[in-house]
Amino acid sequence: MLLVARAAGAAGPVSVGGYVDGLAVAPTEHSERQQPQGLVDAWVEGGPTSWLHGRLEMRGRIGGPFEGGSGVGFYDFGETFQNVSPAFDTPEAWLELRGKDVELRAGIQRFAWGKLDGAPPTDVLNPRDFHDPIVQDFEERKLGVPALTGTYYLPDVSALALNGLRATLAYLPWAVPPHLALLEERWFPTSLVPPSPVSIPVAPGTTLSVPIHLKTVNDTPPRDLAHGAIAFRLAGTWRESDWDVYHYTGQDTGPDLDAAPVAYMSAAGKVSVVNSLVQKHDTMHMTGVDWSTAWGPLTFRAEGAWLLGASYLSPFSLDEIKQIDVAKVLGALSPTHPVAFRLPRELFPSQDAIEWGIGADALWNGFQPLVQVNQTRITDSHPPLLIHDPETRITGVLRRRFLGERLELEVRGMYLIERGGFVVYPRATYRIRDDVRLRLGYLSVGGPSASYIGQFHDNDEVVMEARYTF
C-alpha cells in the first residue's frame, strides 16, 4: 500500500511507504548460527513546490547474522567493522532543486549504475553491507553516501539519433567504507583466517609452534578533500538502445583490509601472534560503459569497466607465513616488548583489471529466464588471489508465476567455471494479499575453499521470510 497525502498549499503529493520484514535462517550444516531478524524501512518523498523535492528513508534492524557487538545506536559512516542491535541507519536523506534543464541534489544518496543483474561492474559509488551477502537483496544492501550531484539535460541530437541525453556530475566529500562481517558471524570469510598454531622452522630440525589470534580493527578514513570522490555519468538513447558512459575516482568501496600482526612473548617465554585486520582506504579509478536493447521478446544487456587500483583478496598462505624473518622477530621480542612485523604480501593488493558481462532475459510462455556471463581479468602482475585469472561466472534465473500471479517459483544460480564454486537458491514466494508476501527458500553453496564462493561451503541454509509493504 502506498499512502499519498497533499499538504495545504503544496504543489505536489507527498508519498509515504516502506516495509516490515522478518527473516529466519535454519543452518543445515556445521556453521555459525544466524539469529532471526526484524527490519523496518520507511520513507517519505515529495516537495512543497514543483522546484523543490526531497526524500527521507530510515531503517531499523534487530537480530540477524550480526554477532559480537553490543549496544544500541546508529551506524557510523567511517567504520567497516561495527555491530549494534537494535541498529538504525539512513539509506537516503536528500533535497533536490529542479529546474527546466538542471537538477541539483544534496544529502545522503544511493546511486544505481549499470545494467547487468546482480553486482554490475560499474556500480561502485555505494559501498555495501556484507553481513548477509547472498540472501539479502543487492539493492537493499547498498549504504547511502553523502554526496552533491548535478544533472544537466542536454538537447537531442537528431542527426545522430541521440535522445534523452543527460550528464551527471557527483562529488562525494566523505569516504564511506563497506560493512563487513565480524569474526563470530557465519559470513565472515574463512579465507581470512590463518591456521593456528603455525609450526615455523627456527633452526635445522627445530620448529616453533605459534598460536595466531585474529581480531578486527577500525580505522576511519580522513575527512579531507584528498579522500573524497568524484564521479561522472553521461546517459542517453540511440535508436532503440539505452547506453551510459561512466567514470569514478575515489575510495575503493569494496572490501579492503590490511593485516597487522604483532608478536608477543609471555613471562614463561611462550610466543604468540595477534593478527589485526585493519580497514584500508585505497583509491581506485573506474571507467566503464553499458548498453541495452530489446530484440523481439529478448532484452540484451552488456557492460564493461576498466578498473585501476581495485582491491582483490589474497588469502593467507602457510608457505608465505613461514617466509617471515623469524630470527629478526625473536631477536627483538621480550615479555615487555612486543614486535610488529609485516606479512610477505598484502592481504588486499590493489590491482588493475577489466570486468565485463553480457546478459539476456525474456518472457516465454509465462516463464522469465535470465542468463548472464561475467568475467574478471587482472591486467597486471599479481600475487595469488582468491579469484581465478580470468574468473568467469555464469548466472541464471528462472521464474514462473501461478495462481493468478500470487505464487512465484524461482531458481537463482551462479557457477564459477574455472574453480567450480556454485550457488543455487530455489525459493517460493506467495502473496496472501498485494501487500503481504511469504517466502521459503533453500540456499546451497559449494566449491573449493580457495574460491570466493567455495569458502562459504558450510553455509547451506533454509530461508524463511515474511514482508508487509505499506
Side-chain angles (χ1 to χ4, degrees):
M1 177 176 62
L2 179 65
L3 303 179
V4 180
R6 184 180 297 272
V14 174
S15 302
V16 180
Y19 61 90
V20 179
D21 188 272
L23 178 70
V25 165
T28 59
E29 298 189 78
H30 299 291
S31 61
E32 300 294 334
R33 70 169 184 173
Q34 181 166 328
Q35 301 180 73
Q37 173 179 283
L39 187 147
V40 179
D41 187 293
W43 55 266
V44 57
E45 183 172 344
T49 69
S50 60
W51 53 268
L52 180 62
H53 194 82
R55 178 180 173 90
L56 173 64
E57 181 179 356
M58 299 290 293
R59 184 164 51 193
R61 173 203 52 79
I62 186 170
F66 305 84
E67 298 281 352
S70 61
V72 178
F74 277 84
Y75 279 121
D76 188 284
F77 276 123
E79 297 183 351
T80 196
F81 296 110
Q82 51 183 316
N83 181 6
V84 290
S85 182
F88 305 92
D89 71 317
T90 307
E92 291 187 277
W94 47 261
L95 288 175
E96 184 176 76
L97 297 176
R98 296 177 172 179
K100 179 181 179 182
D101 300 317
V102 178
E103 292 177 354
L104 296 176
R105 179 182 295 183
I108 302 171
Q109 304 178 42
R110 286 186 292 192
F111 299 84
W113 282 17
K115 290 184 168 61
L116 291 179
D117 189 64
T122 62
D123 198 3
V124 298
L125 271 71
N126 293 96
R128 302 178 183 97
D129 190 315
F130 288 88
H131 288 273
D132 194 351
I134 299 179
V135 170
Q136 189 178 7
D137 180 81
F138 173 77
E139 290 299 319
E140 293 178 5
R141 290 198 294 113
K142 280 186 176 179
L143 306 176
V145 294
L148 175 64
T149 61
T151 300
Y152 177 64
Y153 294 85
L154 292 82
D156 295 341
V157 183
S158 302
L160 299 178
L162 294 173
N163 302 289
L165 297 174
R166 56 200 182 277
T168 300
L169 183 65
Y171 172 60
L172 289 66
W174 292 355
V176 178
H179 291 172
L180 304 183
L182 298 174
L183 294 173
E184 298 88 347
E185 297 177 16
R186 70 193 315 256
W187 292 105
F188 183 84
T190 59
S191 58
L192 292 176
V193 182
S196 181
V198 173
S199 295
I200 301 177
V202 293
T206 305
T207 61
L208 178 66
S209 181
V210 179
I212 300 178
H213 309 283
L214 200 60
K215 71 174 185 177
T216 57
V217 177
N218 288 308
D219 183 15
T220 300
R223 297 296 188 223
D224 54 45
L225 297 178
H227 291 82
I230 192 166
F232 174 78
R233 176 183 185 181
L234 178 64
T237 62
W238 178 74
R239 301 184 186 277
E240 302 300 322
S241 302
D242 294 325
W243 56 268
D244 299 89
V245 178
Y246 307 96
H247 181 77
Y248 169 85
T249 292
Q251 177 179 291
D252 190 340
T253 55
D256 188 16
L257 304 173
D258 196 8
V262 178
Y264 293 86
M265 178 181 286
S266 69
K270 299 291 186 180
V271 177
S272 63
V273 171
V274 174
N275 186 37
S276 299
L277 301 179
V278 185
Q279 73 181 81
K280 291 167 55 181
H281 320 296
D282 290 323
T283 297
M284 65 167 286
H285 310 270
M286 185 282 297
T287 301
V289 297
D290 65 27
W291 166 86
S292 68
T293 191
W295 185 47
L298 297 174
T299 299
F300 294 94
R301 294 178 301 278
E303 187 170 340
W306 180 30
L307 305 171
L308 300 179
S311 300
Y312 295 93
L313 174 58
S314 177
F316 282 109
S317 166
L318 183 58
D319 292 336
E320 294 210 2
I321 291 176
K322 293 179 179 179
Q323 295 175 18
I324 297 168
D325 190 341
V326 178
K328 182 178 179 180
V329 174
L330 293 179
L333 188 62
S334 72
T336 59
H337 185 264
V339 177
F341 59 95
R342 301 293 300 177
L343 295 178
R345 67 171 183 246
E346 289 185 274
L347 190 58
F348 279 83
S350 296
Q351 305 292 155
D352 298 344
I354 293 176
E355 297 189 9
W356 64 271
I358 56 174
D361 64 83
L363 179 60
W364 176 73
N365 289 337
F367 289 91
Q368 293 177 275
L370 178 148
V371 178
Q372 183 172 295
V373 177
N374 290 72
Q375 187 177 82
T376 300
R377 181 177 291 272
I378 309 298
T379 60
D380 57 352
S381 60
H382 59 85
L385 301 174
L386 196 63
I387 66 169
H388 198 270
D389 184 19
E391 173 119 313
T392 309
R393 306 177 298 281
I394 298 179
T395 303
V397 180
L398 181 63
R399 62 171 64 96
R400 178 88 156 73
R401 291 181 176 176
F402 303 89
L403 303 179
E405 304 279 304
R406 292 205 174 274
L407 174 64
E408 179 182 87
L409 302 181
E410 176 187 65
V411 178
R412 291 180 172 268
M414 178 172 19
Y415 181 70
L416 308 183
I417 292 180
E418 289 82 8
R419 293 195 172 172
F422 68 87
V423 172
V424 179
Y425 184 28
R427 63 186 184 184
T429 302
Y430 183 73
R431 293 191 177 275
I432 300 176
R433 306 185 320 199
D434 290 344
D435 55 355
V436 178
R437 79 178 190 199
L438 302 178
R439 179 170 285 170
L440 177 66
Y442 184 80
L443 177 66
S444 178
V445 184
S449 298
S451 67
Y452 81 94
I453 289 179
Q455 64 181 319
F456 299 114
H457 57 75
D458 288 334
N459 281 16
D460 290 8
E461 61 189 34
V462 177
V463 182
M464 297 160 282
E465 181 187 11
R467 176 171 293 192
Y468 167 65
T469 303
F470 57 88

